[in-house]
Amino acid sequence: MIAFVTVGSTTFDPLVEAAVSDEFLEALLDKGFKRLIVQRGRSDLKLKGIPESGNSVTLHRRGIDIELWKYKPSLRTEMEMSNLVISHAGSGTIIEALRLHKPLIVVPNPTLLDDHQQELAQALDGLGYLKTSTASDLARTLSTFDTEKIVTFPPIDGSRFARLVDEEVGYQ
Amino acid sequence: MLVLLIVITVLVALRIYTILPDSRSRPSRVRKKTKTDKCSIAVFLGSGGHTAEALTLVSALDFQRYTPRTYVVSEGDILSTRKAAELEKSKCCDKAEGRYRVLVVPRARRVHQHLLTTPPTALLSLLSSIYHVVIEPLMFKKTVFADLLLLNGPGTCVVLCIAVYANKFFGLPTPRIIYVESFARVKRLSLSGRLLKPFVDRFIVQWPELLQPGGREEYHGWLV
């Protein structure tokens, strides 16, 4: 099984650090994960024991194959092949992961001033579509995450918007 | 001189008041269309999540009916242009067929741009929008900019709305404007949403928490 961690185009070092922490890697192994992909964004964080070599780094730690890279134009492939997505609270990423029906843990970045993304993550958590966590709680959130209990995200119903627009411009 | 200035200001304010949408949101002055009529549409792609949501909304529409389509993108936003082309291609329309076009306007304000330097860039953005929305259709094309304008933020979409109001001000044909607040806005409207709410024909939110008693907001469930 593959887990995918993404911070999008933001800088969110506490999440990146938590994702490669021993505690989290052990929680992954416990859940049967063998591979971890981390999209670390603009971070220039120096991680202990991880070489700084360009865009992409691979290593093996605590029984998990880890692949770290900074950025790719589309994260679609990684999302599709993953069995778990752990993401910053970007609404685009949240919608994309939920539409693909991936178990999703969202870690809002507490240093962002505008907290409307956090509100979205919490509202969706309240409805049972995803789990929110803090970076320091990530390992524990994963250990207690029961993916059977996730509520299935509804598919897009385009007819509602189509009807509204038809009515507004004068079609009967 | 001062009296003249005051008179003009009052007249302009009165004119703007008369062209505001009705306080209740139902459309009142729209001409009925038959099934075979076409409706041209313009949509602003505000990059990132805004673009994704806007294109999801557009993709719900009947492309045979809502044609031609204009995608308005900010200068340098190559990704939005590419995503619009992808949508058009998936709906089977090539640009060569003239079913759609991409208009590029200067950004009103870049991310992290200093507030003091915003007025000149916003003005440039406004002039460009007025050219595309008011002058070009009137002078060179003898047609409307679009019958429907779809907005969902951020910044530059406010400028497009102002350009539409320039048309309204002079009694020229104007697009209906539908504003759809982002799915990411759960408890508080975005700045563009708050600015545009009194001016657009329909104001749609995607979380019931945003509805105000007696307000213009409408909620029809999640749309993206």
Side-chain angles (χ1 to χ4, degrees):
Chain A
M1 295 212 293
I2 305 172
F4 177 47
V5 176
T6 171
V7 304
S9 53
T10 67
T11 307
F12 194 4
D13 291 343
L15 177 56
V16 177
E17 270 178 298
V20 294
S21 68
D22 289 346
E23 196 190 4
F24 178 69
L25 295 175
E26 277 157 21
L28 275 179
L29 199 61
D30 267 356
K31 288 269 179 178
F33 286 91
K34 294 272 182 281
R35 232 181 119 188
L36 169 66
I37 305 170
V38 182
Q39 184 264 315
R40 56 189 291 201
R42 282 192 303 217
S43 154
D44 38 39
L45 169 80
K46 305 274 183 289
L47 293 161
K48 217 167 34 179
I50 294 176
E52 251 321 296
S53 60
N55 188 40
S56 165
V57 179
T58 54
L59 62 154
H60 185 85
R61 194 186 262 189
R62 300 264 158 178
I64 305 273
D65 285 315
I66 309 172
E67 183 188 319
L68 285 126
W69 37 265
K70 288 187 173 163
Y71 196 68
K72 275 187 195 173
S74 171
L75 308 175
R76 185 81 182 189
T77 319
E78 283 70 23
M79 277 217 191
E80 276 173 354
M81 67 189 201
S82 300
N83 309 86
L84 169 71
V85 177
I86 295 167
S87 158
H88 72 121
S91 62
T93 317
I94 291 179
I95 295 176
E96 194 172 6
L98 291 180
R99 288 255 176 264
L100 290 169
H101 299 300
K102 298 294 174 183
L104 175 63
I105 297 175
V106 174
V107 182
N109 190 343
T111 63
L112 291 181
L113 285 176
D114 190 355
D115 64 347
H116 73 271
Q117 297 204 317
Q118 191 166 336
E119 285 173 11
L120 176 70
Q122 271 152 5
L124 291 169
D125 183 331
L127 296 168
Y129 297 115
L130 54 80
K131 274 267 173 263
T132 49
S133 175
T134 59
S136 54
D137 255 356
L138 192 58
R140 202 174 333 146
T141 307
L142 174 63
S143 303
T144 57
F145 191 14
D146 184 357
T147 53
E148 298 292 305
K149 289 211 179 116
I150 304 170
V151 180
T152 309
F153 197 63
I156 303 173
D157 179 5
S159 68
R160 283 189 294 224
F161 184 66
R163 220 167 27 239
L164 189 150
V165 174
D166 278 350
E167 173 199 305
E168 178 59 25
V169 297
Y171 291 107
Q172 288 303 298
Chain B
M1 190 63 195
L2 187 67
V3 175
L4 189 66
L5 207 65
I6 292 171
V7 169
I8 290 172
T9 311
V10 169
L11 285 177
V12 167
L14 274 175
R15 174 69 186 138
I16 290 174
Y17 181 74
T18 59
I19 57 179
L20 282 179
D22 302 335
S23 56
R24 296 304 301 168
S25 56
R26 293 301 109 185
S28 50
R29 290 156 284 124
V30 64
R31 195 173 57 85
K32 292 278 171 259
K33 287 188 170 62
T34 65
K35 272 196 165 60
T36 52
D37 282 345
K38 305 288 183 212
C39 178
S40 59
I41 176 174
V43 53
F44 177 64
L45 305 179
S47 86
H50 293 280
T51 293
E53 287 197 31
L55 290 176
T56 303
L57 294 172
V58 172
S59 70
L61 302 177
D62 177 352
F63 273 33
Q64 305 298 320
R65 173 177 277 182
Y66 291 93
T67 186
R69 290 166 297 281
T70 301
Y71 298 95
V72 184
V73 301
S74 305
E75 208 164 17
D77 186 3
I78 298 154
L79 211 57
S80 288
T81 308
R82 196 188 303 159
K83 292 205 159 146
E86 276 169 23
L87 171 67
E88 287 287 334
K89 206 172 167 206
S90 75
K91 290 268 195 174
C92 91
C93 300
D94 255 332
K95 200 173 176 178
E97 291 173 50
R99 300 331 307 166
Y100 83 98
R101 62 175 176 155
V102 176
L103 271 187
V104 180
V105 295
R107 277 171 211 270
R109 179 168 179 257
R110 288 186 309 274
V111 182
H112 305 309
Q113 184 180 340
H114 197 280
L115 222 54
L116 281 177
T117 61
T118 300
T121 48
L123 183 67
L124 191 64
S125 178
L126 179 62
L127 290 177
S128 166
S129 300
I130 287 181
Y131 175 77
H132 289 301
V133 175
V134 186
I135 298 170
E136 191 189 42
L138 192 68
M139 305 290 282
F140 308 116
K141 296 208 171 152
K142 312 284 181 216
T143 171
V144 291
F145 165 67
D147 299 316
L148 174 71
L149 175 62
L150 180 60
L151 302 176
N152 73 340
T156 309
C157 87
V158 175
V159 169
L160 278 173
C161 184
I162 296 173
V164 168
Y165 265 75
N167 260 350
K168 278 194 188 221
F169 191 85
F170 296 112
L172 299 166
T174 54
R176 311 286 298 180
I177 307 177
I178 300 181
Y179 182 90
V180 181
E181 186 60 288
S182 165
F183 176 67
R185 294 293 173 163
V186 179
K187 292 181 183 162
R188 224 163 54 93
L189 294 177
S190 65
L191 180 60
S192 349
R194 273 174 281 157
L195 287 173
L196 291 183
K197 193 166 72 169
F199 300 102
V200 297
D201 296 293
R202 300 287 286 270
F203 191 85
I204 319 293
V205 296
Q206 301 195 62
W207 289 87
E209 288 90 329
L210 292 173
L211 292 172
Q212 301 279 333
R216 307 197 69 231
E217 303 87 351
E218 299 172 54
Y219 171 69
H220 301 273
W222 293 343
L223 301 172
V224 297

